[in-house]
Structure formats: structure tokens, C-alpha cells
Amino acid sequence: MVDFKPRATRQAIWLAARLRDEAGWNDVVIANVSPRGMMLKCERPPARGAFIEIRHKGFCAIGKVIWRDQGRCGIFTRDTIDVESLLGRPQPKIDQVSKALKADRRALIRRVPAPELADASKRAAKILDWAAIALIAVVAAMALAHEVSSMLDASAGKIVAELDRVQKEHSR
């Protein structure tokens, strides 16, 4: 016995749409839709294997006719179909999602008792104070190390020059 992949759920609908194939534009009805295909009803369905374009309001899908029957055809779409968008169901806009997230954040902050929030703020301030002091100490230590290194380089240069002079005098 052959195992077949489970068939994707179809949603029965009745939407007027436009179909474009090599013959041009025609009126069709989208009778059902799934995430990767749809069944269309029309007077003259396109030939099996034909590539078509389906448009309904702002929706557009490109697909291939995989079966054809009297007044109907099934297409497999190139891309996944956003069924909610096709049906005109409103999708949350990014600014709506952003507002909801901000409201959730504000709600979480409000749930923290004020004394605990104040204590947490004081701890954060102390940590920042110590971090600033540590940063200043590191910068000061680096500056001091640079100055000491410069002074030692200058002294070593004078010592080397004096040794060279003494060696030349003894070699004469």
C-alpha cells in the first residue's frame, strides 16, 4: 500500500477573482483555498500544466494548473497563500503590536511594588558609580604607565649614549 502525504486543510469560500493565462484575463470564482493551492470555477478552465495568475483585490498568486474538470480546475501556487489576507481579515499592524508590547511592559512595571523598584534603582546606581570609578582608575593607571615608560625611555637613551661615549674614549 502506498502512503500519501496528508492533504492540506481546505477552506470553502466563494470569492470573485480574475485569472490571467496565455489567453488573457477571465472572471473566475475561488471555491476553496489551502496554504498552497485553490480550486477555481470558470467557464473555460485553463489547460493542465498552464501557469496562471490569480488576482482578488490586493491579493495576487501565481500557480500551475494541476488538474482540470468541467468548469473547474485546481492550482498549486508558487508561494504560500496568506489565507487570512485573501479573505480580507484584518492583520495586526506593526504599530498596533508595538503599542500592545509597550502596554504589557508598563503593566509589568506597575506590578513591581514601589519599594522594590526603588531598591533596584539604588542598586543599579551604585553599580554604575563603581563602574565609573573603576573606568577612571584604569584610564589614570594607563596614563601614568605611559609617562613612566616615556621617562624610562629617555633615561635609558641617555645612559646608552653615555656608555657609547665612554667606550669610544677607552678605545682610543
Side-chain angles (χ1 to χ4, degrees), residues 34 122 127:
S34 70
K122 287 177 186 176
I127 291 170

Side-chain angles (χ1 to χ4, degrees), residues 18-128:
R18 299 283 289 164
L19 175 145
R20 183 173 69 157
D21 62 4
E22 54 197 32
W25 288 98
N26 293 303
D27 291 325
V28 296
V29 171
I30 303 172
N32 73 35
V33 64
S34 70
R36 287 304 296 259
M38 54 181 69
M39 180 176 73
L40 308 174
K41 292 187 176 187
C42 54
E43 287 182 27
R44 290 179 306 281
R48 185 172 183 221
F51 287 93
I52 62 168
E53 176 181 342
I54 300 291
R55 291 194 178 258
H56 171 75
K57 297 184 181 179
F59 173 82
C60 178
I62 308 288
K64 182 178 182 179
V65 177
I66 55 173
W67 63 267
R68 176 185 174 181
D69 196 9
Q70 296 173 348
R72 303 180 308 157
C73 68
I75 66 165
F76 181 77
T77 57
R78 178 181 66 187
D79 300 314
T80 303
I81 297 172
D82 181 359
V83 177
E84 300 299 314
S85 173
L86 173 64
L87 297 176
R89 294 182 182 147
Q91 299 295 314
K93 299 208 173 10
I94 289 178
D95 60 332
Q96 292 171 334
V97 172
S98 178
K99 285 178 186 175
L101 290 174
K102 286 178 185 174
D104 287 348
R105 184 171 179 266
R106 282 192 299 270
L108 285 173
I109 290 171
R110 283 190 208 114
R111 288 184 200 142
V112 177
E116 288 180 28
L117 196 55
D119 289 342
S121 294
K122 287 177 186 176
R123 283 192 302 273
K126 283 182 183 180
I127 291 170
L128 286 173

Side-chain angles (χ1 to χ4, degrees), residues 126-166:
K126 283 182 183 180
I127 291 170
L128 286 173
D129 286 347
W130 282 107
I133 290 169
L135 181 63
I136 290 169
V138 167
V139 170
M142 290 175 62
L144 181 63
H146 179 70
E147 283 299 314
V148 169
S149 175
S150 296
M151 290 180 358
L152 288 175
D153 283 347
S155 297
K158 289 179 182 177
I159 292 170
V160 169
E162 186 62 27
L163 286 174
D164 283 345
R165 187 187 64 74
V166 170

